[in-house]
DNA sequence: GTTGAAGTCACAGCGAACTAGAAGTTCTGG
DNA sequence: CCAGAACTTCTAGTTCGCTGTGACTTCAAC
């Protein structure tokens, strides 16, 4: 199958697929006699795996590494376990950071409702505290 | 005061301050006779405001807009209220996304502990489901 | 007078994951 | 036979917030 069909099936841009090839996520595919990329079911599965891994927060280079281990016939389990662990920690950190922002933002939103458009010498009374 | 002192007081890199100037967050400061940037207390306050706003998840262009409104003598309250609202929604969305990842990752981590290093025809049994 | 820190400017690069443009070739339908 | 869609390659741009590099000038201390 050609790049357009593969892209359609996965809801990807053909450019994205070429980009994946250039960054080592996808191997170079076979070519038709006229030079078009010729993909098969294994490429489809591989890209599905890439999309799945992306939803878990894995970066392309990390996904590439898992795939490369597999391609070499090795077992990526240990690598993947490590990845899952560090990723979980990182995500927890990000959630905490966002929670702080959310908390502060809702505090500001409440204050903004109460005190109506009072701007004084400061930059923004809503954002800066000490009302 | 010169850029180095300002940077030290705010724990910023002098380059960052020049970058802020070039991107319109900071106005062009006065210059000493020898051409060095010459800052005063208002620049210090402005940069403190920038840092505060950044912790709320505001981008530099949004912060610039608030400051520009203020610089024109306008009241940024309405703009800021809108900003707070959309930012809160955006952050909520990000938190949800991260929670999904976290949930899925811990599910995978539990599974990975149980089934020991069984890799078969798939890319990665830990990441792909249907064990 | 000399050294070295700190300033000046302008341009480039990073990371991440694409996306866009240009300029050409091949395939498909009427 | 020809239009136009889909492909090819290559380079470069996007977003965001900086950071690095290089080549030069100025300032403070010794």
């Amino acid at each position: 199958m050609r790049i357009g069909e593969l892209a359609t099936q996965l809801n990807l841009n053909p450019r994205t697929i070429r980009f994946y090839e250039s960054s080592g996520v996808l191997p170079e595919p076979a070519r038709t006699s006229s030079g078009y990329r010729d993909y098969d079911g294994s490429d489809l599965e591989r890209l599905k795996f890439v999309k799945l891994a992306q939803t878990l927060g894995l970066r392309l280079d990390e996904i590439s590494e898992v795939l490369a281990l597999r391609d070499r016939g090795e077992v990526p389990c240990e690598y993947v376990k490590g990845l899952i662990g560090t990723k979980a920690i990182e995500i927890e950190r990000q959630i905490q950071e966002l929670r702080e922002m959310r908390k502060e933002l809702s505090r500001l939103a409440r204050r903004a409702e109460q005190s109506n458009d009072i701007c004084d010498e400061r930059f923004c009374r809503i954002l800066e505290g000490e009302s």
Side-chain angles (χ1 to χ4, degrees), chain A:
Chain A
M1 105 187 72
R2 292 192 316 198
I3 201 167
E5 190 186 339
L6 185 62
T8 304
Q9 289 199 35
L10 291 158
N11 197 27
L12 283 177
N13 192 320
R15 288 172 186 282
T16 303
I17 295 174
R18 288 189 205 103
F19 166 73
Y20 284 171
E21 179 184 328
S22 74
S23 41
V25 176
L26 264 191
E28 294 190 12
R31 297 285 181 145
T32 66
S33 54
S34 56
Y36 286 7
R37 286 175 178 78
D38 193 15
Y39 295 101
D40 60 22
S42 74
D43 298 301
L44 186 64
E45 291 311 309
R46 197 178 177 99
L47 284 175
K48 280 183 187 167
F49 177 75
V50 171
K51 294 188 93 176
L52 167 70
Q54 280 186 314
T55 67
L56 297 171
L58 302 194
R59 291 194 314 265
L60 285 181
D61 62 346
E62 294 167 333
I63 300 169
S64 290
E65 180 63 19
V66 174
L67 289 169
L69 285 167
R70 267 319 238 160
D71 291 344
R72 288 200 300 271
E74 297 173 33
V75 165
C77 300
E78 282 313 308
Y79 179 71
V80 167
K81 282 179 190 173
L83 217 47
I84 288 175
T86 56
K87 206 48 75 174
I89 290 169
E90 174 63 15
I91 283 172
E92 194 58 42
R93 205 189 51 69
Q94 289 180 44
I95 288 176
Q96 285 310 324
E97 206 172 294
L98 288 170
R99 277 193 185 140
E100 300 263 340
M101 285 184 190
R102 183 177 59 178
K103 188 176 154 195
E104 194 60 19
L105 282 173
S106 49
R107 196 178 69 80
L108 294 178
R110 273 197 305 279
R111 278 172 27 107
E113 261 185 67
Q114 289 167 0
S115 63
N116 264 351
D117 292 16
I118 337 170
C119 274
D120 53 11
E121 76 287 342
R122 277 164 298 187
F123 296 108
C124 173
R125 193 165 208 161
I126 299 175
L127 294 179
E128 299 168 293
E130 313 109 34
S131 65

